[in-house]
Amino acid sequence: MSHELPKAYDPGAIEARWAEYWVAEKLFHVSTPDSAKNIFDLLLPPPNVTGRLHMGHMLNQTEMDIIIRWHRMRGENTLWLPGTDHAGIATQMMVERQLATENKRRQDMGREKFIERVWEWKRHYGGAILDQMKRLGASVDWGREYFTMDENLSVAVKEVFVRLYEQGLIYRGKYIVNWCPRCMTAISDLEVVHEETQGKLYEIRYPIIGSKDYITVATTRPETMLGDTAIAVNPKDERYKTLIGRVVRVPLVNREVAIIADDWANPEFGTGAVKVTPAHDPNDFAIGQRHNLAQINIMDETAKLNENAGPYAGLDRYAARKKVLEDLEKEHLLGHVKEHMLSIGKCDRCKTVVEPRLSTQWFVKIAPLAKRAIEVVEKGHIKFTPENYKTIYLNWMNNIYDWCISRQLWWGHRIPAWHCADCKQDTVAREAPAKCAHCASAKIEQDTDVLDTWFSSALLPFTTFGWPKQTKDLEVFYPTSLLITGFDILFFWVARMIMMGCWFMGDENKLDSLNDAQREEKLKASVPFREVYIHALVRDADRQKMSKTKGNVIDPIEIIERFGTDAVRFTLASMAAPGTDIAFNEDRTEGYRAFANKIWNAARFIFMNMDKAQQSGAWTAAGFDPAETPDAKTLEDKWILSRFHAVTQALDESLKAYRFDEAANAVYRFFWNEFCDWYIEIVKLRLNAGESDSDKATTKTALTFTLHIFEGSLRLLSPFMPFITEEIWHAVYDGKPPAKSIALTRYPVADSKLVNSATEAEMALLQSFIVDVRTIRAEMKVENKLKTPVETQAKDGIRKTLEQNLNSIQKLANAESLTFTEKSLANAAGAKVSPHYEVRVVYEQKIDVAAERERLTKELKKLEAEKDSAQRQLSNEQFMAKAPEKVKEGIKRRAEELAGLIAKIQSALAGLPKA
RNA sequence: GGGCGGUUAGCUCAGCUGGUUAGAGCACCUGCCUUACAAGCAGGGGGUCGUAGGUUCGAGUCCUACACUGCCCA
């Protein structure tokens, strides 16, 4: 048998191979289980079909993969469901851009041809992101991959729409919506991003009819005056009280409109009088509703002015603004113009300035859905981590507005509503109707709009399992266990999934007719997921947001090619402290690449010893059983076993709490600083014991033990670093592994009986002894190769530990010999004192008296400060009366130790030759 | 304007219900190619925990104010 591994770890040489293997072998496929017991499942937040993998995806998927691999290895039935989102606007724009290069427009092609073209695009380019995901090692069930426009999901979308419509929770109406003139569609409030911008506040004078006076209003969008149908003042505003009810002339269009009283007018802002344009401003729209004002729409879907704007028709909104201002100036009706900071809304997708515009759209009446979505979170049926997102969620949910769900696009789920040309009413139906449901007219046509992409993704937790059919999948997999996602889609997606899930999986509008207990049970089972873990943003090393324009985007694929997927995954995990953004730092990744290399070389070392022992007949691989804990023979064995189980326990707790950072750091430190730095170094002595039969027996037990811990560590590490652990794990079994993948083995289970604090304390003493000797040698500048005699004064118990581990001390501290003495060594050259022993390196070299004095003085100062503080506490009556026994005892003990140490150091200082 | 966070070593961040000497990685300094690993080993330096008060026997940790800073919503 041979375990030939290259000296340095090369992730590129193995990762692609394992990634393909996991997919090809369908290792993570789950068939429908019989019961909902012992299931752990989660949904991949579906990336846009047009998407390319970015660092945020990688963080998200790394976290999900760690969690799902961990649960899988705990023997749970795990399902991680992948899919992609059809991403209405994004995809349509992408294909339109492609068409533009062929000098084509979708309008010329017609709807059907265009949609066919999008599907074609999707077949060619769509889902590239899923291939990138495979490269990350994501252990999803590829056999269950979905697309939000799949036939079955489309059926479910229609079903939801029809039911909500029938329940009065979807309505159509003419309202002010956010309109993107570039995308030529309405967008929801959430799709508008607000930006502080330097603009201007214009004052315009409106002549009052029957007087020579004017009323002056202030506005940031003067062109909208062409659609004014009133002027509003605050009824409490003394300045304007007498003007209420008077009529003014809207300049340029010469329409006569009334001055009305409305609380919305803020006396503090501008002149206190505001123009009212119900068709182009949401607040003005509301005023219009209250006062029954006319709505005059002056813009078309491209934000050019229309025929209602008279002479300005055909002008773009900004050209019209310029012209309107010029014309007002000419008529001497333009007042002060001043600089003004204002917040303007831009389209999330294309960054075009959004125009509030009156149009007919479909809306979801959100209050009944929100009410239940608030209840489940308040009652803890859905748990948020970090907890503060609960507050953010509830805050938003309590101030929610109706959701505009129609989009004037072609790509998406078409709204299942048909308008009647005769009676003007809508027929909403699952299947295309032949005639109007109201007047039986055959002159009906389907609504041309499609649904907001988030409408269908809000349904995924149940539609992907077969809803509206009552499938076995739905029964066992719903609710999903967990959702891991970024805060950026908390409202877009998370909140809406909760609303939709709790409604459709919670008896819809019939829930409240259940009795209390039944209702509670139903409600609890209706949630789309039991827990939500929300992660932060991945930023660049300088904490800047990554963006294409800044050019600071880190491509995950590029970075994994340089450092290896495992190293990048480990970086993200180790920095994923909840609530804080990750400043992605390559230095850190470099460190974890070194960690992978460390694991690799530990494997090389162990394999080398396995081969050697096998050749000498000291050991056979056949006898190795990972499930069996071998007897711990020595201090180092007992210690590493204790540490292994303690770390296993710590990992368990950290992962339960989604503390990826804690988990990663714990396993890192264990493997490197404990297993490699101490255990392997010590066990080398036994591995190289010799050729006699008893030596071979020693080697055998040592090797078995080392392998036991090492193999267990690979399993501990495997969720974090699936590639390197898979590769090495297969090599451990020399190509004949007990399972197809380390991912299908069991995660180590902590045995608290094997965690032994006395053993750990004893080892800590041995370590500090060795470190002290090393420190003295370093200070005395003893050549590395030169072994030096060591003298020590130690109490019996400690002496025993040192004696029993003499070999380790000799090897690790470069000690030639260890002699015990009764006399104090504190005054001797090359000595160091500790509470438990005094140690001295015997080395004939003149010490640097000045340096030694400085070192001792510094040490003394530190210890005295500590002792003072301890003494202060001990002489404080309040402290002695109130502090817990444990704390008091600890301080008392420490104070005694300090007194001893201080005396010794003082004496050593006194013994130094005068300078 | 409303809400939520952050401020700890040169940098990036931990520090769990207040308790004995505030930690890690990177960077830095010194010495080592010790046959697993120089992507390594050993040793070392570096912090008045944003500021000012308060609660407490005891505060990085709890409270208040302020400063700076980030994000979300309007």
Side-chain angles (χ1 to χ4, degrees), chain A residues 534-791:
Chain A
I534 296 196
H535 62 245
L537 217 63
V538 183
R539 295 165 174 276
D540 75 0
D542 301 320
R543 307 200 54 79
Q544 297 294 305
K545 233 180 199 168
M546 292 188 198
S547 76
K548 278 181 202 155
T549 46
K550 274 188 229 156
N552 62 344
V553 176
I554 301 170
D555 175 9
I557 298 296
E558 189 258 341
I559 203 117
I560 69 179
E561 272 164 10
R562 280 201 288 143
F563 296 102
T565 309
D566 287 333
V568 184
R569 285 174 59 117
F570 210 89
T571 308
L572 292 170
S574 72
M575 299 190 78
T580 42
D581 286 345
I582 293 177
F584 189 88
N585 196 330
E586 275 185 25
D587 292 346
R588 198 83 182 235
T589 313
E590 216 165 293
Y592 293 121
R593 178 180 61 180
F595 181 50
N597 193 51
K598 189 78 185 176
I599 300 169
W600 186 257
N601 277 290
R604 288 180 61 222
F605 171 77
I606 290 165
F607 292 162
M608 183 186 86
N609 280 281
M610 283 162 73
D611 290 351
K612 213 168 69 183
Q614 207 142 10
Q615 273 158 24
S616 75
W619 191 76
T620 58
F624 175 68
D625 177 3
E628 197 178 309
T629 304
D631 284 339
K633 303 280 187 195
T634 59
L635 177 61
E636 70 270 13
D637 283 359
K638 286 178 202 155
W639 169 74
I640 200 69
L641 191 63
S642 175
R643 294 301 307 140
F644 179 82
H645 284 273
V647 164
T648 301
Q649 174 72 42
L651 278 178
D652 196 60
E653 282 162 18
S654 298
L655 288 175
K656 263 184 196 140
Y658 310 107
R659 291 301 306 260
F660 300 97
D661 57 327
E662 277 183 6
N665 289 330
V667 70
Y668 174 94
R669 257 175 258 159
F670 167 75
F671 191 84
W672 197 322
N673 302 131
E674 299 186 314
F675 181 65
C676 289
D677 287 351
W678 288 95
Y679 184 77
I680 287 186
E681 288 309 317
I682 294 176
V683 86
K684 275 175 181 173
L685 290 162
R686 286 192 287 153
L687 293 175
N688 294 320
E691 292 302 313
S692 75
D693 284 352
S694 77
D695 286 343
K696 282 183 182 172
T698 301
T699 298
K700 182 185 171 182
T701 52
L703 187 55
T704 305
F705 209 87
T706 306
L707 190 55
H708 175 76
I709 300 293
F710 180 65
E711 195 271 354
S713 305
L714 290 177
R715 281 181 285 127
L716 278 184
L717 280 160
S718 153
F720 303 88
M721 304 184 124
F723 291 98
I724 190 171
T725 51
E726 184 84 307
E727 174 78 9
I728 295 173
W729 182 81
H730 281 266
V732 164
Y733 294 97
D734 200 19
K736 293 181 276 294
K740 275 181 138 175
S741 164
I742 188 170
L744 302 181
T745 62
R746 289 290 157 269
Y747 208 63
V749 176
D751 181 349
S752 58
K753 289 194 296 294
L754 296 175
V755 178
N756 186 327
S757 59
T759 299
E760 293 195 12
E762 193 181 355
M763 184 68 187
L765 181 102
L766 180 64
Q767 287 173 313
S768 88
F769 189 85
I770 290 168
V771 168
D772 281 346
V773 175
R774 283 172 175 169
T775 306
I776 299 168
R777 285 173 50 98
E779 275 165 3
M780 295 178 90
K781 302 202 190 308
V782 180
E783 277 176 72
N784 260 49
K785 282 176 188 157
L786 185 69
K787 289 190 179 296
T788 43
V790 172
E791 255 189 313

Side-chain angles (χ1 to χ4, degrees), chain A residues 810-860:
Chain A
Q810 287 182 320
K811 178 173 187 310
L812 270 62
N814 260 329
E816 184 187 80
S817 60
L818 180 66
T819 51
F820 293 90
T821 170
E822 298 297 321
K823 65 174 201 284
S824 172
L825 301 169
N827 289 354
K832 212 165 163 19
V833 293
S834 95
H836 305 292
Y837 55 77
E838 296 174 15
V839 59
R840 171 178 175 237
V841 170
V842 183
Y843 183 64
E844 292 305 322
Q845 192 188 9
K846 279 204 179 120
I847 56 160
D848 183 339
V849 175
E852 183 67 0
R853 177 171 288 117
E854 196 190 322
R855 182 182 73 81
L856 288 172
T857 309
K858 202 172 160 188
E859 175 83 6
L860 186 65

Side-chain angles (χ1 to χ4, degrees), chain A residues 862-874:
Chain A
K862 198 178 120 195
L863 292 175
E864 277 176 339
E866 198 191 331
K867 190 183 152 221
D868 287 350
S869 127
Q871 219 92 58
R872 217 174 304 125
Q873 292 197 68
L874 289 173

Side-chain angles (χ1 to χ4, degrees), chain A residues 372-392:
Chain A
R372 212 178 282 181
I374 290 168
E375 188 183 352
V376 290
V377 169
E378 277 178 343
K379 284 185 171 159
H381 300 328
I382 297 176
K383 192 186 139 207
F384 278 81
T385 306
E387 275 176 21
N388 62 309
Y389 282 105
K390 177 178 167 178
T391 317
I392 295 173

Side-chain angles (χ1 to χ4, degrees), chain A residues 306-340:
Chain A
N306 64 16
E307 67 281 3
N308 292 332
Y312 303 93
L315 289 176
D316 173 75
R317 52 184 163 167
Y318 297 120
R321 177 175 301 177
K322 204 168 158 237
K323 187 92 189 337
V324 162
L325 290 169
E326 283 168 11
D327 293 348
L328 285 171
E329 184 82 86
K330 275 184 218 152
E331 297 192 20
H332 307 290
L333 294 174
L334 186 62
H336 293 294
V337 177
K338 61 174 183 184
E339 295 294 307
H340 178 68

Side-chain angles (χ1 to χ4, degrees), chain A residues 483-548:
Chain A
L483 178 74
I484 299 187
T485 190
F487 66 86
D488 49 332
I489 53 175
L490 179 62
F491 306 137
F492 274 115
W493 195 46
V494 181
R496 286 162 178 173
M497 276 193 288
I498 297 175
M499 289 193 280
M500 289 299 197
C502 290
W503 190 258
F504 285 97
M505 299 302 286
D507 272 3
E508 301 164 54
N509 54 6
K510 293 185 286 292
L511 182 74
D512 293 331
S513 57
L514 299 175
N515 71 37
D516 283 358
Q518 284 172 330
R519 184 185 182 279
E520 196 55 31
E521 194 187 332
K522 190 80 199 178
L523 187 70
K524 216 171 156 176
S526 72
V527 297
F529 26 76
R530 303 278 188 207
E531 290 190 44
V532 187
Y533 175 77
I534 296 196
H535 62 245
L537 217 63
V538 183
R539 295 165 174 276
D540 75 0
D542 301 320
R543 307 200 54 79
Q544 297 294 305
K545 233 180 199 168
M546 292 188 198
S547 76
K548 278 181 202 155

